[in-house]
Amino acid sequence: MTSTGTAGGAPAPGSPAAGHPHTGAPAAWERVGRPDDFGSPAAQAAGQPQPGSPAAWSADRSDDFGSPAASQGAAGQSGTGQAGAVQGGAGLPATGPEAWQGGFRHPEHTGPYGVPHQAAQDHTGSPTPTPQGSAQPDPHVSSGRYYLPPNSAPTVLRPRGRNKVTAGVAALVLAVGGLAGGVGGYVGYQAAEDARPVTNALNQAPPAHQTSDAPEGSIEQVAQKVLPTVVQVQVTGGAGSGFTLSSDGLVLTNNHVVEAAADGGPMKVQLQDGRSFDARIVGRDPSSDLAVVKMEDVSGLPTAELGNSGDLKIGQQVVAVGSPFDLNGTVTSGIVSSLNRPVRAGGQQGTPDTVLNAIQTDAAINPGNSGGPLVNMRGQVVGINSAIYSPNSSQSSQGGSVGIGFAIPIDQARRTAKELSETGKATQTVLGVQVGDAPDGGALVRDVTAGGAAEAAGIKTGDVITKFGDRPVDSSDALVAAVRSRAPGEKVQLTIGKERTVDVTLGSQPVEIR
């Protein structure tokens, strides 16, 4: 091969394998992440938590958050248009006898009730001593400091020598007055309650309709702008997403979304207003996972505005739009989690993997979102949603969003989409080497293509490429992703080993479609 690629099928360090989020797609599109990052598959199958794995984390923190069993749920299986789609449910937190119930704990009270009070004094102002030999305290005598339950009133010690008859009369007068006051107060309260007007929310007039525009730069405003340009691409066995490039029906989507229709199978494109049109493939590029399709007999469509993915910053807010699980016109939001992430994503069975130089985002991306736009807060397309990381996925189920999704940068997709729409074919940027992972990190050159860009720059078999421009290269996938992020004819400096550098003018070759 003359194209830049990798030998071997194992994902390289720093290159998580991912699955394409395409509803109804074959199970080969779902890939499990690197064993060295997420635990070995054998140990996971045996139920042994691995360092850094979710299972190990749950075991380590079971005293804080409940037993791992309390947090487990059945994984749902997805598939649009297939019997048995979405066959599972989600585990409920805080269920079971050992589940963590949440909340902060109040500190328990320790020691005696209340706070110490000073010893009661008799009418002379002097503390009264406790009589000798008395088993119980004299009610007229204090025994010094004492403690009280919270909110209780201290005992009042009566002075000795007071006339008991006078005290009794006074108590009777107070009791009679209190009773009369209580009866009068109750009667007055009831009268006030009966006279108070009753209000009922159901009798209130609804508020006036909001007519103001959505705030500039809000998710609402972005959704209003982008939604009319997003479509659902329907093929035999499933559906994906896409967005309009031209008013006469050109649509950009993922190659893996339309592969099922590559041999002339039926394909339809549905608009947000419900209208559906027959469509055909104009061109596709499996190496970059992009395809352009054309709706038949349509005009006057709104078109997406393309932005610059090179301007993206980590932490920047973004919005994803598409049709996850056949839910057309779904909008989710998140941030840019990482940039220039090398991601190896599998295609259909028998087709080569795709290595993406991806934008990572935590905006929810699920099966069916593939091909839909990732947009900035100006409503400009900055990426094409293409893959998701699916832990513990199997050959019989697709994963859902775990907050790790990947999109093809629009700067890379724009060039390929233009070639496909104009010629039906695409060219691929190549370095002219075959590479694998070096034992100590980097891309090990295993073969050099005669007459290629690498040979012209003096790169030889056995060299280890450790840097592409100012971008570190720690694996073969990292080099492949870096090369594919550039256009043919661009010049770049490569670092060989630790110090040696060479200047390379990148080459190109037509994309072969098997």
Side-chain angles (χ1 to χ4, degrees):
M1 294 179 58
T2 59
S3 62
T4 303
T6 62
S15 309
H20 292 302
H22 169 44
T23 302
W29 291 346
E30 295 300 321
R31 291 303 186 93
V32 179
R34 303 195 312 270
D36 56 332
D37 275 2
F38 301 96
S40 66
Q44 290 179 354
Q48 300 173 357
Q50 297 300 304
S53 70
W57 181 83
S58 296
D60 293 340
R61 296 301 302 275
S62 60
D63 56 325
D64 283 351
F65 298 99
S67 65
S71 301
Q72 297 301 318
Q77 297 180 358
S78 61
T80 300
Q82 299 180 9
V86 190
Q87 295 295 329
L92 296 176
T95 58
E98 299 181 6
W100 175 59
Q101 297 301 319
F104 291 97
R105 296 182 179 179
H106 294 290
E108 297 180 355
H109 294 288
T110 58
Y113 292 109
V115 295
H117 291 269
Q118 297 296 326
Q121 297 178 342
D122 62 14
H123 65 284
T124 64
S126 301
T128 307
T130 303
Q132 296 293 330
S134 176
Q136 299 294 332
D138 188 324
H140 301 290
V141 180
S142 168
S143 59
R145 297 186 177 217
Y146 59 92
Y147 297 87
L148 297 173
N151 301 322
S152 63
T155 302
V156 178
L157 302 180
R158 295 193 296 268
R160 286 173 290 183
R162 177 76 54 104
N163 189 313
K164 295 183 178 180
V165 175
T166 303
V169 172
L172 179 61
V173 172
L174 290 174
V176 172
L179 177 62
V183 171
Y186 176 76
V187 171
Y189 174 78
Q190 286 296 109
E193 282 292 304
D194 293 341
R196 183 176 298 174
V198 176
T199 59
N200 189 325
L202 298 176
N203 296 330
Q204 297 177 5
H209 291 290
Q210 296 182 359
T211 58
S212 60
D213 294 334
E216 186 72 22
S218 65
I219 297 173
E220 179 185 359
Q221 188 261 344
V222 170
Q224 290 177 358
K225 177 179 179 178
V226 176
L227 271 171
T229 70
V230 180
V231 301
Q232 185 182 59
V233 181
Q234 303 167 344
V235 297
T236 302
S241 304
F243 56 93
T244 53
L245 292 174
S246 69
S247 59
D248 62 347
L250 283 178
V251 171
L252 181 59
T253 184
N254 284 140
N255 174 72
H256 75 263
V257 169
V258 301
E259 272 182 316
D263 296 329
M267 179 170 55
K268 287 185 175 291
V269 173
Q270 184 177 16
L271 306 180
Q272 289 296 316
D273 59 14
R275 290 183 295 163
S276 184
F277 299 88
D278 291 331
R280 60 180 176 84
I281 297 175
V282 175
R284 62 191 187 95
D285 177 10
S287 68
S288 63
D289 195 24
L290 293 171
V292 173
V293 302
K294 176 73 165 59
M295 286 183 276
E296 305 291 352
D297 303 322
V298 66
S299 62
L301 297 178
T303 59
E305 180 183 357
L306 306 185
N308 294 310
S309 54
D311 294 338
L312 289 176
K313 301 290 187 296
I314 294 175
Q316 181 176 337
Q317 193 170 12
V318 288
V319 174
V321 188
S323 301
F325 296 109
D326 205 26
L327 300 173
N328 197 12
T330 296
V331 176
T332 58
S333 67
I335 62 169
V336 174
S337 302
S338 185
L339 295 168
N340 299 320
R341 179 77 76 188
V343 174
R344 178 176 292 272
Q348 285 187 342
Q349 294 181 0
T351 62
D353 291 348
T354 300
V355 179
L356 307 177
N357 183 57
I359 303 166
Q360 182 181 328
T361 180
D362 68 347
I365 297 175
N366 285 285
N369 271 116
S370 281
L374 184 72
V375 301
N376 60 22
M377 301 313 291
R378 295 180 180 177
Q380 300 168 333
V381 179
V382 292
I384 296 94
N385 302 316
S386 301
I388 55 176
Y389 171 67
S390 299
N392 302 323
S393 62
S394 67
Q395 293 297 315
S396 60
S397 66
Q398 288 182 316
S401 173
V402 292
I404 303 177
F406 304 102
I408 302 169
I410 194 62
D411 291 354
Q412 177 183 341
R414 188 197 306 260
R415 176 181 60 82
T416 301
K418 187 172 181 61
E419 290 180 341
L420 292 174
S421 62
E422 293 177 352
T423 67
K425 299 182 182 297
T427 57
Q428 184 181 52
T429 307
V430 294
L431 180 58
V433 294
Q434 289 184 347
V435 293
D437 293 337
D440 296 327
L444 174 64
V445 178
R446 292 179 172 171
D447 189 30
V448 179
T449 303
E455 185 184 59
I459 297 174
K460 303 183 184 307
T461 301
D463 285 344
V464 176
I465 301 173
T466 57
K467 219 170 193 184
F468 184 90
D470 58 357
R471 177 173 172 175
V473 173
D474 58 3
S475 67
S476 57
D477 279 357
L479 178 62
V480 174
V483 170
R484 291 182 179 175
S485 69
R486 301 296 187 94
E490 285 192 37
K491 294 183 178 180
V492 63
Q493 186 179 77
L494 302 184
T495 301
I496 310 297
K498 294 183 178 180
E499 298 180 355
R500 178 185 161 205
T501 60
V502 295
D503 293 325
V504 178
T505 301
L506 299 174
S508 67
Q509 68 179 22
V511 174
E512 298 180 7
I513 301 178
R514 297 180 178 87

